[in-house]
Amino acid sequence: MLRIDDLVVRYGAVEAVNEVSLTVAPGELVALLGANGAGKTTLLRTVSGLVPANTGAITFEGIDLRATKAEAIAAAGIAHVPEGRRIFGGLSVEENLILGATTRGRDADLDEGFARVYELFPVLQERRNQGGWSLSGGQQQMLAIGRALMSRPRLLMLDEPSLGLAPILVRQVLDAVRSICDGGTAMLLVEQNARAALRIADRAVVLDRGRVAREGAADELADDQQMRALYLGA
């Protein structure tokens, strides 16, 4: 579904992403792991068309994303939930969700979208008329994911969805992420909590200073002693 080949992204003289290649298959959840500054966020932003690549190729279902504008990439079926949630605090929960469906045009079935989001996150239905500003951090993250789902993406990219959340909410949010994938949506997940990410992922790719350092099945990496020492704190 998504194919990245020898991708290089520079900020001036700094190579944030250095000859990275990876794939995401339909219905697959791939975790993108690594320390801060490894290039994970830059990679997602490049796929979304927000940051230009210097060299390499990015294709999504045969579409050349390097030659496609950001709004057309979203319309093609890729949704990106950035780090920091970025909901519209002055709008209600439901108004935020409606904005997520804009890439589908005027014929979007909002009721179907609402039903899917509220099934995943019942608290959003309870608070659908409340302002986004009034939600807790965990609820705002649920809203950010729900807003992305309103576009009915075939690939959902999440950047640090567990950041700043209490442990019980981390599990709740990541379990919902796994459920979304099980429903048929492919996912590329950037997550600082490597242990939690490997618990739900099918495969993982580890970046180190912009390069692919490790990759493989999530359960194999979770059991790998070097991986545990470097990223899992054990």
Side-chain angles (χ1 to χ4, degrees), residues 85-88 96-97 100 143-151:
R85 299 147 198 166
R86 303 189 191 180
I87 65 166
F88 295 94
N96 269 274
L97 294 177
L143 178 56
I145 296 172
R147 182 178 60 189
L149 289 177
M150 291 293 290
S151 68

Side-chain angles (χ1 to χ4, degrees), residues 1 13 15 33 45 49 53-54 83 85 87 92 96 99 115 121 127-128 130 160 163 166 169 188 201 204 206 212:
M1 177 176 278
E15 286 193 337
L33 309 176
R45 289 174 57 82
N54 292 90
E83 181 182 344
R85 299 147 198 166
I87 65 166
S92 71
N96 269 274
L99 286 176
F121 304 118
R127 305 196 174 194
R128 62 186 180 277
Q130 290 184 217
E160 302 285 8
L163 187 66
L169 286 175
L188 185 56
V206 182
V212 174

Side-chain angles (χ1 to χ4, degrees), residues 47 108 174 219:
V47 172
L174 293 184
D219 55 354

Side-chain angles (χ1 to χ4, degrees), residues 58-186:
I58 313 172
T59 57
F60 174 69
E61 297 183 331
I63 301 170
D64 178 3
L65 296 191
R66 287 196 60 193
T68 307
K69 293 183 178 180
E71 57 269 28
I73 291 173
I78 297 178
H80 182 183
V81 180
E83 181 182 344
R85 299 147 198 166
R86 303 189 191 180
I87 65 166
F88 295 94
L91 300 180
S92 71
V93 166
E94 204 142 278
E95 287 168 337
N96 269 274
L97 294 177
I98 291 170
L99 286 176
T102 54
T103 60
R104 294 168 53 197
R106 296 180 180 179
D107 296 330
D109 186 343
L110 295 179
D111 289 338
E112 178 187 349
F114 289 149
R116 183 185 187 195
V117 172
Y118 293 153
E119 181 180 4
L120 275 170
F121 304 118
V123 68
L124 296 183
Q125 184 172 22
E126 297 169 11
R127 305 196 174 194
R128 62 186 180 277
N129 295 318
Q130 290 184 217
W133 63 269
S134 69
L135 302 181
S136 70
Q139 291 163 359
Q140 289 186 9
Q141 185 63 68
M142 294 172 191
L143 178 56
I145 296 172
R147 182 178 60 189
L149 289 177
M150 291 293 290
S151 68
R152 297 180 66 181
R154 293 188 296 285
L155 173 66
L156 178 60
M157 302 193 301
L158 300 174
D159 196 351
E160 302 285 8
S162 78
L163 187 66
L165 302 187
I168 190 170
L169 286 175
V170 170
R171 189 171 190 96
Q172 186 177 350
V173 167
L174 293 184
D175 283 349
V177 168
R178 182 66 245 185
S179 178
I180 293 165
C181 185
D182 290 341
T185 303

Side-chain angles (χ1 to χ4, degrees), residues 184-198:
T185 303
M187 308 193 79
L188 185 56
L189 169 68
V190 166
E191 180 52 61
Q192 196 70 18
N193 188 334
R195 189 183 301 276
L198 291 173

